[in-house]
Amino acid sequence: MTAGGAFVAREVTGGYGRTPVVTAVSAQVATGEVVALVGPNGAGKSTFLKAVFGLLPMMEGRVTLGEEVLSGLEPQEIARRGVAYVPQVDNVFPTMTIHENLEMGAFATGTDFQAGSDYVYELFPDLLAARRRPAGQLSGGQRIMLALARGLMAQPSMILLDEPTAGLSPLYADRVWELIRRIASDNRGVLVVEQNVGLALRGSDRLEVLVDGRVKLTTTPQGISEERLAQVFLGLD
Ligand SMILES: Nc1ncnc2c1ncn2[C@@H]1O[C@H](COP(=O)(O)OP(=O)(O)OP(=O)(O)O)[C@@H](O)[C@H]1O
Ligand SMILES: [Mg+2]
C-alpha cells in the first residue's frame, strides 16, 4: 500500500462546462475514517468525486493525500498515488470474468495481483466462488461488490465510492456498509456518496451535506437527527 495519510479536498470548484456545478466544496478524510457525502439528486455529489479524481477539470481548489498533491494530475496518476474511485455506473467490464476484472484492477495501477486478490477474495467469498463467470451475468448487487473489489485490488489508501448501495435491498445495503467499515478499519479512508440518510447516519463518522453544489452542513451522526438532516436536504431549514 502507498504511504497514504489524510485525504483533503479544499474548496473544490468544478463542473462540465464554464459554469461550476460544485463550488468551494471541501472534505477531509483521515485514515480509518468513513465520511458520507449526502444530498439530493443533482446536488453535485458525483461531480465532486469526478473532479477530485481528475476526471473533470478543477477550476479552483486543491486535493492532497498526505504530502502528495493530487489536483492537476490525470486519474491514472491519482490512482497510482493510492486513490481508488468506484463510479456510480459502468463500474465493471461485463464481457470479462470476475477474475479478469480483478486482474484489470491490479494492472491499472501496477500493483501485485496475488496480494490484492488474497485480500479481496477473503472479503468477498461470493466472488471467489463465481470467479470464472462473466461480470455481465452478475446481479446489480454482485456487480457493486465486484466494482468495490476491483478498486481494492490497487490496495488504495483512500477510496471514493459513488452510491454503492443504489438499487440494493436493505439487507444487501447493510452488508455493503459493513464492508465499508471493514475496509476503513484496514487503514484506509473512505468517502462515500449515500442517498439513504439512515445508512449514512448509522455507518459514517462524519457527514458532508451537499445542496445545490455547496456544502450546506458538516456534522457527525451524533450531531443531527434523521428528521433534521432530511429537512436540510429538502432546503426546509
Ligand atoms: N456529463 C454532464 N454534463 C453536463 N452536466 C452534467 C453532467 N453530469 C451531470 N451534470 C449536471 O451536474 C449537476 C450535478 O449532477 P451530479 O451527477 O453531480 O449530481 P448527484 O448529486 O450525483 O445526483 P444523483 O444523486 O442523482 O446521483 C446536475 O445538474 C447535472 O445535470
Ligand atoms: Mg450521483
Side-chain angles (χ1 to χ4, degrees):
M1 203 185 296
T2 46
F7 173 87
V8 181
R10 192 166 294 136
E11 310 239 321
V12 170
T13 297
Y16 304 86
R18 232 171 284 174
T19 325
V21 168
V22 291
T23 305
V25 174
S26 298
Q28 193 160 338
V29 187
T31 303
E33 210 173 33
V34 179
V35 175
L37 186 59
V38 302
N41 292 126
K45 305 179 297 294
S46 296
T47 303
F48 176 68
L49 291 196
K50 287 178 204 164
V52 301
F53 194 66
L55 292 164
L56 292 175
M58 210 185 285
M59 295 166 198
E60 278 175 63
R62 183 179 161 90
V63 181
T64 50
L65 181 66
E67 304 285 295
E68 295 247 35
V69 179
L70 305 179
S71 32
L73 299 179
E74 296 289 324
Q76 169 98 348
E77 289 302 314
I78 294 175
R80 285 182 184 279
R81 281 163 178 75
V83 180
Y85 164 67
V86 182
Q88 191 169 354
V89 289
D90 295 331
N91 44 22
V92 299
F93 299 110
T95 59
M96 290 186 182
T97 65
I98 288 170
H99 198 76
E100 287 163 350
N101 266 273
L102 296 181
E103 283 176 341
M104 291 299 290
F107 178 73
T109 47
T111 37
D112 180 55
F113 177 79
Q114 198 58 49
S117 63
D118 286 351
Y119 176 73
V120 156
Y121 281 140
E122 190 258 313
L123 215 54
F124 305 89
D126 297 356
L127 294 183
L128 177 62
R131 67 189 181 284
R132 300 286 163 220
R133 287 178 60 195
Q137 288 179 8
L138 297 176
S139 74
Q142 290 168 325
R143 269 188 211 213
I144 288 168
M145 295 295 185
L146 177 57
L148 194 49
R150 202 183 65 194
L152 288 168
M153 286 299 294
Q155 302 182 58
S157 44
M158 175 68 204
I159 307 179
L160 308 167
L161 288 177
D162 200 348
E163 293 206 39
T165 67
L168 299 189
S169 67
L171 224 59
Y172 229 97
D174 282 342
R175 169 100 182 96
V176 168
W177 268 90
E178 273 171 34
L179 282 163
I180 288 171
R181 291 294 347 168
R182 161 74 203 274
I183 289 164
S185 74
D186 290 331
N187 286 321
R188 307 172 202 276
V190 183
L191 178 60
V192 53
V193 174
E194 175 58 70
Q195 276 291 332
N196 183 318
V197 293
L199 283 174
L201 281 172
R202 284 199 298 280
S204 73
D205 298 306
R206 204 167 50 252
L207 298 103
E208 298 288 349
V209 187
L210 201 62
V211 179
D212 215 2
R214 291 175 186 270
V215 175
K216 193 80 176 280
L217 180 74
T218 302
T219 180
T220 60
Q222 296 76 30
I224 195 165
S225 68
E226 194 165 335
E227 293 71 27
R228 176 89 189 94
L229 187 57
Q231 283 180 333
V232 177
F233 239 74
L234 298 170
L236 298 175
D237 55 315

PDB file of all heavy atoms in Angstrom, residues 12 14 46 50-51 65 75-76 79 81-82 89 97 110 113 127-128 139 162 179 192 197-198 202 215 226 237:
ATOM      1  N   VAL A  12     -13.042  22.947  -3.544  1.00  0.00           N
ATOM      2  CA  VAL A  12     -13.036  22.484  -4.936  1.00  0.00           C
ATOM      3  C   VAL A  12     -14.217  23.084  -5.700  1.00  0.00           C
ATOM      4  O   VAL A  12     -15.368  22.981  -5.285  1.00  0.00           O
ATOM      5  CB  VAL A  12     -13.113  20.939  -4.987  1.00  0.00           C
ATOM      6  CG1 VAL A  12     -13.347  20.450  -6.418  1.00  0.00           C
ATOM      7  CG2 VAL A  12     -11.835  20.332  -4.416  1.00  0.00           C
ATOM      8  N   GLY A  14     -15.787  23.048  -9.608  1.00  0.00           N
ATOM      9  CA  GLY A  14     -15.638  22.381 -10.899  1.00  0.00           C
ATOM     10  C   GLY A  14     -16.982  22.043 -11.509  1.00  0.00           C
ATOM     11  O   GLY A  14     -18.029  22.210 -10.892  1.00  0.00           O
ATOM     12  N   SER A  46     -21.716  13.334  -7.427  1.00  0.00           N
ATOM     13  CA  SER A  46     -20.883  12.607  -8.395  1.00  0.00           C
ATOM     14  C   SER A  46     -19.878  13.549  -9.056  1.00  0.00           C
ATOM     15  O   SER A  46     -18.724  13.175  -9.285  1.00  0.00           O
ATOM     16  CB  SER A  46     -21.756  11.965  -9.474  1.00  0.00           C
ATOM     17  OG  SER A  46     -22.607  10.990  -8.914  1.00  0.00           O
ATOM     18  N   LYS A  50     -15.832  13.087  -9.260  1.00  0.00           N
ATOM     19  CA  LYS A  50     -15.127  13.099 -10.555  1.00  0.00           C
ATOM     20  C   LYS A  50     -14.073  14.192 -10.595  1.00  0.00           C
ATOM     21  O   LYS A  50     -12.986  13.995 -11.133  1.00  0.00           O
ATOM     22  CB  LYS A  50     -16.125  13.304 -11.698  1.00  0.00           C
ATOM     23  CG  LYS A  50     -16.984  12.089 -11.995  1.00  0.00           C
ATOM     24  CD  LYS A  50     -17.964  12.411 -13.115  1.00  0.00           C
ATOM     25  CE  LYS A  50     -19.178  11.519 -13.069  1.00  0.00           C
ATOM     26  NZ  LYS A  50     -20.283  12.051 -13.886  1.00  0.00           N
ATOM     27  N   ALA A  51     -14.400  15.339 -10.048  1.00  0.00           N
ATOM     28  CA  ALA A  51     -13.444  16.457 -10.061  1.00  0.00           C
ATOM     29  C   ALA A  51     -12.219  16.132  -9.211  1.00  0.00           C
ATOM     30  O   ALA A  51     -11.088  16.367  -9.647  1.00  0.00           O
ATOM     31  CB  ALA A  51     -14.117  17.736  -9.575  1.00  0.00           C
ATOM     32  N   LEU A  65      -3.272  13.980  -0.679  1.00  0.00           N
ATOM     33  CA  LEU A  65      -3.322  12.735   0.095  1.00  0.00           C
ATOM     34  C   LEU A  65      -2.006  12.684   0.854  1.00  0.00           C
ATOM     35  O   LEU A  65      -0.944  12.491   0.246  1.00  0.00           O
ATOM     36  CB  LEU A  65      -3.474  11.531  -0.822  1.00  0.00           C
ATOM     37  CG  LEU A  65      -3.561  10.176  -0.112  1.00  0.00           C
ATOM     38  CD1 LEU A  65      -4.831  10.053   0.710  1.00  0.00           C
ATOM     39  CD2 LEU A  65      -3.496   9.035  -1.132  1.00  0.00           C
ATOM     40  N   PRO A  75      -6.300  11.004 -13.846  1.00  0.00           N
ATOM     41  CA  PRO A  75      -6.859   9.944 -12.990  1.00  0.00           C
ATOM     42  C   PRO A  75      -5.897   8.781 -12.748  1.00  0.00           C
ATOM     43  O   PRO A  75      -5.757   8.291 -11.624  1.00  0.00           O
ATOM     44  CB  PRO A  75      -8.090   9.484 -13.777  1.00  0.00           C
ATOM     45  CG  PRO A  75      -8.485  10.663 -14.588  1.00  0.00           C
ATOM     46  CD  PRO A  75      -7.219  11.408 -14.910  1.00  0.00           C
ATOM     47  N   GLN A  76      -5.221   8.363 -13.807  1.00  0.00           N
ATOM     48  CA  GLN A  76      -4.274   7.253 -13.701  1.00  0.00           C
ATOM     49  C   GLN A  76      -3.179   7.537 -12.672  1.00  0.00           C
ATOM     50  O   GLN A  76      -2.795   6.675 -11.879  1.00  0.00           O
ATOM     51  CB  GLN A  76      -3.662   7.046 -15.096  1.00  0.00           C
ATOM     52  CG  GLN A  76      -2.486   6.116 -15.145  1.00  0.00           C
ATOM     53  CD  GLN A  76      -2.905   4.717 -15.572  1.00  0.00           C
ATOM     54  OE1 GLN A  76      -4.095   4.397 -15.613  1.00  0.00           O
ATOM     55  NE2 GLN A  76      -1.959   3.888 -15.877  1.00  0.00           N
ATOM     56  N   ALA A  79      -4.645   7.461  -9.203  1.00  0.00           N
ATOM     57  CA  ALA A  79      -4.809   6.059  -8.786  1.00  0.00           C
ATOM     58  C   ALA A  79      -3.475   5.490  -8.306  1.00  0.00           C
ATOM     59  O   ALA A  79      -3.415   4.782  -7.297  1.00  0.00           O
ATOM     60  CB  ALA A  79      -5.365   5.239  -9.941  1.00  0.00           C
ATOM     61  N   ARG A  81      -1.173   6.962  -6.920  1.00  0.00           N
ATOM     62  CA  ARG A  81      -0.789   7.549  -5.625  1.00  0.00           C
ATOM     63  C   ARG A  81      -1.674   7.055  -4.491  1.00  0.00           C
ATOM     64  O   ARG A  81      -1.617   7.558  -3.376  1.00  0.00           O
ATOM     65  CB  ARG A  81      -0.783   9.072  -5.724  1.00  0.00           C
ATOM     66  CG  ARG A  81       0.489   9.582  -6.413  1.00  0.00           C
ATOM     67  CD  ARG A  81       0.342  11.010  -6.884  1.00  0.00           C
ATOM     68  NE  ARG A  81       1.582  11.501  -7.504  1.00  0.00           N
ATOM     69  CZ  ARG A  81       2.006  11.162  -8.720  1.00  0.00           C
ATOM     70  NH1 ARG A  81       1.305  10.307  -9.452  1.00  0.00           N
ATOM     71  NH2 ARG A  81       3.134  11.655  -9.208  1.00  0.00           N
ATOM     72  N   GLY A  82      -2.545   6.093  -4.789  1.00  0.00           N
ATOM     73  CA  GLY A  82      -3.258   5.431  -3.692  1.00  0.00           C
ATOM     74  C   GLY A  82      -4.724   5.766  -3.543  1.00  0.00           C
ATOM     75  O   GLY A  82      -5.318   5.488  -2.516  1.00  0.00           O
ATOM     76  N   VAL A  89     -22.057   4.271 -12.127  1.00  0.00           N
ATOM     77  CA  VAL A  89     -22.494   3.349 -13.190  1.00  0.00           C
ATOM     78  C   VAL A  89     -21.282   2.889 -14.002  1.00  0.00           C
ATOM     79  O   VAL A  89     -20.198   3.441 -13.867  1.00  0.00           O
ATOM     80  CB  VAL A  89     -23.516   4.019 -14.151  1.00  0.00           C
ATOM     81  CG1 VAL A  89     -24.848   4.208 -13.459  1.00  0.00           C
ATOM     82  CG2 VAL A  89     -22.988   5.323 -14.698  1.00  0.00           C
ATOM     83  N   THR A  97     -14.437 -11.998 -17.176  1.00  0.00           N
ATOM     84  CA  THR A  97     -14.834 -12.737 -15.973  1.00  0.00           C
ATOM     85  C   THR A  97     -14.540 -11.879 -14.736  1.00  0.00           C
ATOM     86  O   THR A  97     -13.826 -10.865 -14.823  1.00  0.00           O
ATOM     87  CB  THR A  97     -14.057 -14.059 -15.831  1.00  0.00           C
ATOM     88  OG1 THR A  97     -12.673 -13.733 -15.629  1.00  0.00           O
ATOM     89  CG2 THR A  97     -14.221 -14.957 -17.036  1.00  0.00           C
ATOM     90  N   GLY A 110      -0.495  -1.145 -11.507  1.00  0.00           N
ATOM     91  CA  GLY A 110       0.780  -1.841 -11.380  1.00  0.00           C
ATOM     92  C   GLY A 110       1.007  -2.448 -10.005  1.00  0.00           C
ATOM     93  O   GLY A 110       2.147  -2.572  -9.556  1.00  0.00           O
ATOM     94  N   PHE A 113      -0.835  -8.615  -8.016  1.00  0.00           N
ATOM     95  CA  PHE A 113      -2.135  -9.284  -8.130  1.00  0.00           C
ATOM     96  C   PHE A 113      -2.399 -10.209  -6.960  1.00  0.00           C
ATOM     97  O   PHE A 113      -3.486 -10.224  -6.397  1.00  0.00           O
ATOM     98  CB  PHE A 113      -2.234 -10.059  -9.450  1.00  0.00           C
ATOM     99  CG  PHE A 113      -3.531 -10.812  -9.550  1.00  0.00           C
ATOM    100  CD1 PHE A 113      -4.707 -10.159  -9.900  1.00  0.00           C
ATOM    101  CD2 PHE A 113      -3.593 -12.161  -9.245  1.00  0.00           C
ATOM    102  CE1 PHE A 113      -5.912 -10.833  -9.950  1.00  0.00           C
ATOM    103  CE2 PHE A 113      -4.800 -12.853  -9.292  1.00  0.00           C
ATOM    104  CZ  PHE A 113      -5.965 -12.179  -9.651  1.00  0.00           C
ATOM    105  N   LEU A 127     -17.396 -13.787  -4.665  1.00  0.00           N
ATOM    106  CA  LEU A 127     -16.673 -13.523  -5.913  1.00  0.00           C
ATOM    107  C   LEU A 127     -15.678 -14.637  -6.210  1.00  0.00           C
ATOM    108  O   LEU A 127     -15.465 -15.001  -7.363  1.00  0.00           O
ATOM    109  CB  LEU A 127     -15.943 -12.175  -5.847  1.00  0.00           C
ATOM    110  CG  LEU A 127     -16.832 -10.931  -5.778  1.00  0.00           C
ATOM    111  CD1 LEU A 127     -15.959  -9.677  -5.790  1.00  0.00           C
ATOM    112  CD2 LEU A 127     -17.831 -10.882  -6.930  1.00  0.00           C
ATOM    113  N   LEU A 128     -15.105 -15.200  -5.164  1.00  0.00           N
ATOM    114  CA  LEU A 128     -14.175 -16.309  -5.354  1.00  0.00           C
ATOM    115  C   LEU A 128     -14.920 -17.492  -5.966  1.00  0.00           C
ATOM    116  O   LEU A 128     -14.467 -18.097  -6.944  1.00  0.00           O
ATOM    117  CB  LEU A 128     -13.548 -16.702  -4.004  1.00  0.00           C
ATOM    118  CG  LEU A 128     -12.606 -17.911  -4.032  1.00  0.00           C
ATOM    119  CD1 LEU A 128     -11.407 -17.640  -4.942  1.00  0.00           C
ATOM    120  CD2 LEU A 128     -12.119 -18.245  -2.626  1.00  0.00           C
ATOM    121  N   SER A 139     -25.735 -10.018 -10.759  1.00  0.00           N
ATOM    122  CA  SER A 139     -26.855  -9.152 -10.364  1.00  0.00           C
ATOM    123  C   SER A 139     -26.304  -7.761 -10.050  1.00  0.00           C
ATOM    124  O   SER A 139     -25.088  -7.577  -9.923  1.00  0.00           O
ATOM    125  CB  SER A 139     -27.542  -9.720  -9.127  1.00  0.00           C
ATOM    126  OG  SER A 139     -26.730  -9.508  -7.998  1.00  0.00           O
ATOM    127  N   ASP A 162     -19.118   5.981  -5.215  1.00  0.00           N
ATOM    128  CA  ASP A 162     -20.312   6.724  -5.615  1.00  0.00           C
ATOM    129  C   ASP A 162     -21.554   5.844  -5.531  1.00  0.00           C
ATOM    130  O   ASP A 162     -21.762   4.969  -6.379  1.00  0.00           O
ATOM    131  CB  ASP A 162     -20.135   7.289  -7.027  1.00  0.00           C
ATOM    132  CG  ASP A 162     -21.107   8.439  -7.292  1.00  0.00           C
ATOM    133  OD1 ASP A 162     -22.044   8.620  -6.485  1.00  0.00           O
ATOM    134  OD2 ASP A 162     -20.920   9.146  -8.302  1.00  0.00           O
ATOM    135  N   LEU A 179     -19.057  -3.811   4.925  1.00  0.00           N
ATOM    136  CA  LEU A 179     -17.799  -3.915   4.188  1.00  0.00           C
ATOM    137  C   LEU A 179     -17.052  -2.586   4.176  1.00  0.00           C
ATOM    138  O   LEU A 179     -15.829  -2.545   4.305  1.00  0.00           O
ATOM    139  CB  LEU A 179     -18.065  -4.373   2.747  1.00  0.00           C
ATOM    140  CG  LEU A 179     -18.345  -5.867   2.611  1.00  0.00           C
ATOM    141  CD1 LEU A 179     -19.003  -6.164   1.276  1.00  0.00           C
ATOM    142  CD2 LEU A 179     -17.047  -6.663   2.744  1.00  0.00           C
ATOM    143  N   VAL A 192     -17.841   8.257   0.790  1.00  0.00           N
ATOM    144  CA  VAL A 192     -18.895   7.503   0.130  1.00  0.00           C
ATOM    145  C   VAL A 192     -20.146   8.351  -0.074  1.00  0.00           C
ATOM    146  O   VAL A 192     -20.637   8.988   0.865  1.00  0.00           O
ATOM    147  CB  VAL A 192     -19.201   6.195   0.916  1.00  0.00           C
ATOM    148  CG1 VAL A 192     -19.487   6.452   2.365  1.00  0.00           C
ATOM    149  CG2 VAL A 192     -20.347   5.412   0.283  1.00  0.00           C
ATOM    150  N   VAL A 197     -30.137   8.454   3.971  1.00  0.00           N
ATOM    151  CA  VAL A 197     -29.586   9.190   5.110  1.00  0.00           C
ATOM    152  C   VAL A 197     -29.493   8.310   6.363  1.00  0.00           C
ATOM    153  O   VAL A 197     -28.592   8.485   7.181  1.00  0.00           O
ATOM    154  CB  VAL A 197     -30.381  10.483   5.422  1.00  0.00           C
ATOM    155  CG1 VAL A 197     -30.234  11.483   4.310  1.00  0.00           C
ATOM    156  CG2 VAL A 197     -31.830  10.209   5.708  1.00  0.00           C
ATOM    157  N   GLY A 198     -30.395   7.357   6.482  1.00  0.00           N
ATOM    158  CA  GLY A 198     -30.359   6.456   7.641  1.00  0.00           C
ATOM    159  C   GLY A 198     -29.073   5.641   7.645  1.00  0.00           C
ATOM    160  O   GLY A 198     -28.390   5.538   8.668  1.00  0.00           O
ATOM    161  N   ARG A 202     -25.939   5.889  10.310  1.00  0.00           N
ATOM    162  CA  ARG A 202     -25.524   4.717  11.099  1.00  0.00           C
ATOM    163  C   ARG A 202     -24.075   4.310  10.826  1.00  0.00           C
ATOM    164  O   ARG A 202     -23.389   3.850  11.728  1.00  0.00           O
ATOM    165  CB  ARG A 202     -26.438   3.526  10.803  1.00  0.00           C
ATOM    166  CG  ARG A 202     -27.803   3.630  11.470  1.00  0.00           C
ATOM    167  CD  ARG A 202     -28.492   2.275  11.552  1.00  0.00           C
ATOM    168  NE  ARG A 202     -28.755   1.679  10.256  1.00  0.00           N
ATOM    169  CZ  ARG A 202     -29.777   2.014   9.466  1.00  0.00           C
ATOM    170  NH1 ARG A 202     -30.616   2.960   9.851  1.00  0.00           N
ATOM    171  NH2 ARG A 202     -29.963   1.421   8.304  1.00  0.00           N
ATOM    172  N   VAL A 215     -21.472  22.852   0.185  1.00  0.00           N
ATOM    173  CA  VAL A 215     -21.618  22.143   1.456  1.00  0.00           C
ATOM    174  C   VAL A 215     -22.543  22.960   2.349  1.00  0.00           C
ATOM    175  O   VAL A 215     -22.223  24.085   2.733  1.00  0.00           O
ATOM    176  CB  VAL A 215     -20.258  21.922   2.150  1.00  0.00           C
ATOM    177  CG1 VAL A 215     -20.466  21.302   3.527  1.00  0.00           C
ATOM    178  CG2 VAL A 215     -19.376  21.029   1.306  1.00  0.00           C
ATOM    179  N   GLU A 226     -32.175  12.268  12.153  1.00  0.00           N
ATOM    180  CA  GLU A 226     -32.515  11.915  10.777  1.00  0.00           C
ATOM    181  C   GLU A 226     -33.545  12.903  10.212  1.00  0.00           C
ATOM    182  O   GLU A 226     -33.471  13.303   9.053  1.00  0.00           O
ATOM    183  CB  GLU A 226     -33.058  10.473  10.729  1.00  0.00           C
ATOM    184  CG  GLU A 226     -33.102   9.922   9.325  1.00  0.00           C
ATOM    185  CD  GLU A 226     -33.289   8.404   9.271  1.00  0.00           C
ATOM    186  OE1 GLU A 226     -32.935   7.712  10.245  1.00  0.00           O
ATOM    187  OE2 GLU A 226     -33.791   7.931   8.243  1.00  0.00           O
ATOM    188  N   ASP A 237     -34.641  24.192   6.008  1.00  0.00           N
ATOM    189  CA  ASP A 237     -34.050  24.764   7.238  1.00  0.00           C
ATOM    190  C   ASP A 237     -34.075  26.287   7.185  1.00  0.00           C
ATOM    191  O   ASP A 237     -34.214  26.882   6.147  1.00  0.00           O
ATOM    192  CB  ASP A 237     -32.614  24.278   7.388  1.00  0.00           C
ATOM    193  CG  ASP A 237     -31.776  24.594   6.158  1.00  0.00           C
ATOM    194  OD1 ASP A 237     -32.260  24.368   5.038  1.00  0.00           O
ATOM    195  OD2 ASP A 237     -30.642  25.065   6.330  1.00  0.00           O
TER     196      ASP A 237
END
